[in-house]
Amino acid sequence: MEAPTNPSADGYGSGAAAAAGGQGGGWFGHGTAGARGPQSPGHPTAGRSAPQPTRPAARRPTATPPPTTATAAAASAGASVPSATELLQRTMAEIEPIADRVTSYFYALLFLRHPALRDLFPAAMDAQRDRLFKALLTAATHADDPVTLTTYLTHLGRGHRKYGTLPEHYPAVGEALIGALARHAPETWGPRTEAAWVGAYTTISQIMIDAATEDEQRAPAWWQAEVVAHVMRTKDVAIVTVRPDGPYPFLAGQYTTLETPWWPRVWRHYSFASAPRSDGLLSFHVKAVPAGWVSNALVHRARTGDVIRLGPPAGSMTVDHTSDSGLLCLGGGTGIAPIKALVEDVAQHGRRRSVDVFYGARRNNGLYDIDTMLRLQQSHPWLSVRPVVDDGPVGLLSGGIPQAVREFGPWHAHDAYLSGPPGMVRSSLDTLVGIGIPTHRIRHDSIEELVGATTRVLSNTPGSRERRPCAPPARAVTANTWSSSAWAPRSARIASTPTRSSTG
C-alpha cells in the first residue's frame, strides 16, 4: 500500500506513512551524477553503494549570541525573554499562512545560488514543497523534545542515503532556509531568531549526517527488486510482489519507499503486506490514485520481470511480543496491508492473544482483500475480522470504522494499530482516546504523530498534492550574517577526514 496517506478516489487509499520530509522524498531526490552508477532502477547491474560521507567529528555546541541591550534591559526589568524554541515557533506561526510562498522561494533561492543541486531533485517539485514545510514544522515544534526529534531525524538521515545526499549539501540548504525565513517572517525575525534557527538547523543536519554515516556500515543505500507477481484485485488496486537482490530485513507493520524505472527520482511509501517470508519475497498493495505517478506505474504499467528500487525499511507500527495485551487493528482501504502483516506476525510467534480487525471501505467492493482476511480468521480462533462500510448492504457493519468500534469492546486494555487515509486515522484516533485507550498504546505511522498529535512518533509521511514548479525569485536575499562555512556541521567542513567504504 502507498504509505503517503493521501485519500484515494473512494476515500480509502493509503495507510501507514512516515513523518514529513521523510524517506519518501525528503529534501533530495537522488544522488549526484555518477555517485552510484546509472540512476534508473531498470538496470540490475547499477551500482548501489552510497556516497561516502565524511566521518563526523564530535558535535560542536551551538553558540549562543550575547544578549542585546534590549534583551538585557528586558531581563533586568523582569520581562520574559523567549526561549529558542519559542522563537522558532513564532516564526513558524508567521509563515504558516503563506507556506506555499515560503517553500517556493526556498527552493528558488537554493537553485539560484547552487544550480548544480537541481539535479538532486525530481523533475516536478510539487510534493517537495509540502515535505519541507512539514519537516520544518516538526523540527520547530519538537525542538525542546530531543528524544522525539532525534528519532525522527535519525530515520530521515538514513533515508536520505538513497538520494546520495552528502554532508557538503547541508550548508547550501541551510543558507536557503535562512534566506527564505528572513524574507517572509519580518514580524518575528531578528538576530536572536536567526541564531535560534542557525542552531536548530546545525543540530538537525548533524543528527542526520551521524545517522547516515552509522547506517552505511550495516546496510546498502537501496536494493534492486524484480517484480515476480502482479495481480489486479480491482480495476485500480494491484498486489505487487518483488524479489530483492539481497537480504532485506524488516518487521511486520513497517513500510519502505519504492522508485520505478518510469519515474526516476520519484519515491513513494508503501507498507509491507505480509510478515517476513522464508522465500524473501515482499508484497505491496497499491491503489492507483489520480495524478499518482508511482502508483499508476505500479498498477497499470509494471509487469513480471520489471526491476524497481527499494529504500530501507522504516516505521514503528510493530507488535510488542513481550506483551499479552490484545490487539485492536483498524485498516481502511489499502491500509489493510500492514494490518494483515501484523496478523501473520502474531501467528508466526505462536502466542494466543486476541486480535480484532475492523476492515473498512466506503462501499462493499472496496473490501478487495476480505476473502484473505476471512481465511486467516478461519485458521486462527484468536482472530476476529469485521468488515465495515460507510454505506452498504444489510449484514455488514456500516457507518464507518469509528462508529463500528464503539459498538464492541471494551478496548481500554488493548494495543491499537491504525492504518488508512488521514481522515480515517484522525477520527479513529479520537474515538480510541475517547473510549479510554491510553495514547501510548495507539500506534500509527503518519505525519500527525510528529506535528502536534497525541501519539508517539516513529516515521514520516510526505504530502502529495500537485503544484506548479517554483520560479526563481526576483532578487537574491542576503541572510544577514549567515555563512555557509561558519555554521556547517563539522563533518561537512573536515575535508581531510578519511571516509569508509559502504558495505552495500
Side-chain angles (χ1 to χ4, degrees):
M1 61 168 277
E2 187 166 1
T5 54
N6 308 316
S8 62
D10 66 358
Y12 282 87
S14 45
Q23 295 176 352
W27 293 328
F28 298 101
H30 78 302
T32 53
R36 298 167 314 210
Q39 296 302 319
S40 171
H43 299 281
T45 59
R48 63 175 179 181
S49 297
Q52 309 306 311
T54 306
R55 173 65 59 183
R59 191 173 298 144
R60 65 186 177 90
T62 302
T64 301
T68 62
T69 302
T71 301
S76 63
S80 175
V81 178
S83 66
T85 299
E86 290 173 329
L87 293 172
L88 300 179
Q89 293 172 341
R90 290 179 182 180
T91 306
M92 294 304 300
E94 183 176 358
I95 67 173
E96 186 171 7
I98 55 172
D100 287 345
R101 191 186 314 165
V102 178
T103 49
S104 295
Y105 188 87
F106 162 81
Y107 280 109
L109 195 60
L110 177 65
F111 299 151
L112 181 67
R113 293 179 175 178
H114 305 277
L117 294 184
R118 184 62 182 88
D119 289 339
L120 297 177
F121 295 83
M125 292 295 297
D126 49 351
Q128 298 301 126
R129 291 187 273 182
D130 278 345
R131 292 190 186 112
L132 174 63
F133 178 70
K134 291 175 182 175
L136 293 177
L137 183 61
T138 296
T141 56
H142 289 81
D144 56 353
D145 184 355
V147 174
T148 297
L149 189 61
T150 300
T151 299
Y152 165 56
L153 293 173
T154 296
H155 285 296
L156 194 61
R158 291 171 179 169
H160 272 62
R161 288 184 59 215
K162 65 179 177 288
Y163 310 125
T165 306
L166 298 172
E168 53 263 33
H169 294 148
Y170 286 90
V173 173
E175 182 183 354
L177 169 62
I178 293 299
L181 294 177
R183 181 182 180 90
H184 291 93
E187 298 298 322
T188 58
W189 199 256
R192 293 190 73 250
T193 299
E194 179 174 340
W197 277 98
V198 170
Y201 183 78
T202 301
T203 299
I204 288 169
S205 56
Q206 190 65 60
I207 293 173
M208 292 177 64
I209 292 171
D210 290 348
T213 304
E214 178 183 356
D215 190 62
E216 79 169 313
Q217 308 305 318
R218 57 193 177 108
W222 42 266
W223 288 255
Q224 300 276 14
E226 179 185 359
V227 177
V228 297
H230 186 283
V231 180
M232 296 295 297
R233 300 301 293 269
T234 71
K235 65 178 182 180
D236 55 4
V237 174
I239 297 181
V240 181
T241 302
V242 302
R243 178 186 292 111
D245 63 351
Y248 190 96
F250 72 98
L251 299 176
Q254 289 190 308
Y255 60 89
T256 187
T257 48
L258 305 183
E259 181 202 49
T260 72
W262 306 284
W263 295 105
R265 306 190 303 276
V266 179
W267 297 76
R268 293 292 182 264
H269 292 86
Y270 290 90
S271 293
F272 301 105
S274 67
R277 296 168 45 163
S278 59
D279 58 10
L281 299 182
L282 309 173
S283 293
F284 306 95
H285 292 190
V286 185
K287 179 180 178 64
V289 297
W293 295 355
V294 175
S295 65
N296 278 280
L298 289 172
V299 172
H300 300 302
R301 190 166 182 176
R303 295 294 181 268
T304 301
D306 288 333
V307 176
I308 64 176
R309 286 203 296 186
L310 307 174
S316 65
M317 200 179 75
T318 56
V319 175
D320 178 7
H321 291 290
T322 65
S323 171
D324 292 323
S325 299
L327 273 62
L328 173 61
C329 302
L330 314 182
T334 51
I336 197 62
I339 300 301
K340 173 177 170 287
L342 295 176
V343 171
E344 293 178 353
D345 189 37
V346 172
Q348 290 177 2
H349 278 75
R351 299 185 63 181
R352 295 177 60 87
R353 48 193 301 193
S354 65
V355 178
D356 289 84
V357 173
F358 289 81
Y359 178 14
R362 286 198 179 277
R363 292 169 291 276
N364 189 34
N365 58 7
L367 302 172
Y368 66 91
D369 211 31
I370 187 61
D371 290 342
T372 301
M373 298 305 299
L374 293 177
R375 284 195 297 270
L376 287 171
Q377 178 180 248
Q378 293 174 353
S379 302
H380 306 295
W382 42 262
L383 173 63
S384 175
V385 177
R386 299 180 177 94
V388 184
V389 293
D390 287 357
D391 184 14
V394 177
L396 291 179
L397 295 173
S398 60
I401 287 180
Q403 178 176 323
V405 168
R406 293 190 193 97
E407 298 178 10
F408 296 85
W411 308 114
H412 61 274
H414 285 63
D415 293 332
Y417 296 82
L418 314 180
S419 180
M424 184 226 101
V425 171
R426 284 192 293 267
S427 60
S428 297
L429 176 60
D430 291 341
T431 296
L432 297 181
V433 172
I435 62 179
I437 299 182
T439 56
H440 70 274
R441 301 182 72 166
I442 303 174
R443 299 188 180 185
H444 65 101
D445 290 321
S446 69
I447 181 59
E448 287 82 3
E449 290 180 306
L450 276 173
V451 187
T454 55
T455 56
R456 65 193 184 93
V457 181
L458 295 161
S459 40
N460 65 21
T461 302
S464 69
R465 286 182 292 168
E466 299 283 342
R467 292 198 180 97
R468 296 185 302 273
C470 54
R475 59 185 178 87
V477 175
T478 301
N480 300 328
T481 59
W482 188 264
S483 169
S484 296
S485 59
W487 62 268
R490 287 180 59 90
S491 53
R493 294 185 285 115
I494 306 176
S496 60
T497 302
T499 59
R500 298 182 61 181
S501 299
S502 169
T503 57

